[in-house]
Amino acid sequence: MTTLILLRHGRTDFNVSGRLQGSLDVPLGAAGRDQARAAARHLRVSYGTPNLLLTSPLLRAWDTAREIGSAVGAEAIADARLTQRSYGVWEGLTWDEVRERWPEQYAARMRGADPAIDGWGRSEVVAQRVADCLAEACRGARLVTVVSHGSAIMLGALRLLGLPASSTVLGKLPHGHWNVMTRSATGAWSLERYAIDPSAARLPRGVETQDVD
């Protein structure tokens, strides 16, 4: 059986201000780096060293993955297929600005549909590229850890589970939280745990005070 950990990167200053990032290369904020270190501590204790540590090449994911790698003893490898979807002409704007300038397309997005705007990354395309990367990484591996983005993780997981990219069954994955999926010997995927919060998860006695390098 293969265990796949899907971790969302830590929070950025764009996240704090409610601005859409998409393909923009925004670094972690101070809170996001703390989230990455908290996740790293729990992943080290709960899972150990993965066979493979993959990350989106965008800086917010890469910085998170480096914290994870330092803690678990693995080298982070970037794969462009794990990057966030493009938000096209909406990138850098707040949702309030989007709603004011594109009310119909904003409403479509709130329903879970792809808005008809320039540069938007289509859900079907994103789901397939992420799922292809995940399936390839898990061949012959016991444990794979992936650092990516909210939409990319959701869409890739839906595809592995055989669900449509338009499905809303998976809720929002908070920053610094992770999902756990497993693949059986027959190749069937299951979602074992959803949105694990490192601040709420319990560590073995004494581990809480250990530093992550």
Side-chain angles (χ1 to χ4, degrees):
M1 184 176 71
T2 299
T3 298
L4 173 62
I5 297 170
L6 299 172
L7 172 73
R8 188 181 183 188
H9 63 80
R11 190 180 299 122
T12 70
D13 289 343
F14 264 46
N15 293 135
V16 174
S17 62
R19 296 193 176 277
L20 283 72
Q21 296 172 112
S23 61
L24 297 178
D25 207 4
V26 182
L28 288 178
R33 195 165 294 279
D34 287 342
Q35 289 175 324
R37 289 170 177 163
R41 182 180 302 112
H42 283 265
L43 292 176
R44 178 187 63 190
V45 173
S46 300
Y47 303 97
T49 303
N51 299 106
L52 192 60
L53 172 61
L54 292 180
T55 180
S56 157
L58 292 179
L59 193 55
R60 55 194 184 271
W62 177 252
D63 284 348
T64 302
R66 290 207 312 176
E67 295 286 353
I68 303 298
S70 177
V72 303
E75 181 180 357
I77 301 173
D79 192 312
R81 292 174 293 179
L82 296 171
T83 194
Q84 176 64 308
R85 78 186 323 153
S86 171
Y87 284 90
V89 295
W90 290 358
E91 291 184 348
L93 302 178
T94 66
W95 280 115
D96 287 341
E97 291 168 334
V98 168
R99 182 175 60 242
E100 180 180 348
R101 295 168 61 179
W102 292 272
E104 293 183 3
Q105 298 308 321
Y106 171 84
R109 180 57 191 153
M110 292 302 103
R111 296 193 302 270
D114 287 330
I117 62 168
D118 291 341
W120 180 267
R122 310 297 294 180
S123 295
E124 286 291 337
V125 174
V126 177
Q128 192 61 55
R129 67 166 163 81
V130 175
D132 286 346
C133 177
L134 299 178
E136 178 183 306
C138 289
R139 292 192 188 111
R142 173 190 60 83
L143 175 65
V144 175
T145 299
V146 169
V147 181
S148 188
H149 310 267
S151 291
I153 289 173
M154 178 190 67
L155 291 168
L158 287 172
R159 183 54 51 92
L160 291 181
L161 293 169
L163 298 172
S166 58
S167 174
T168 58
V169 68
L170 297 182
K172 182 177 181 181
L173 181 63
H175 295 98
H177 291 50
W178 64 89
N179 300 336
V180 179
M181 299 186 70
T182 58
R183 188 181 65 176
S184 69
T186 64
W189 285 95
S190 300
L191 181 61
E192 299 296 326
R193 299 188 66 186
Y194 186 79
I196 299 175
D197 179 356
S199 67
R202 298 190 64 181
L203 290 172
R205 184 182 299 274
V207 173
E208 292 89 343
T209 60
Q210 294 179 11
D211 291 331
V212 174
D213 295 335

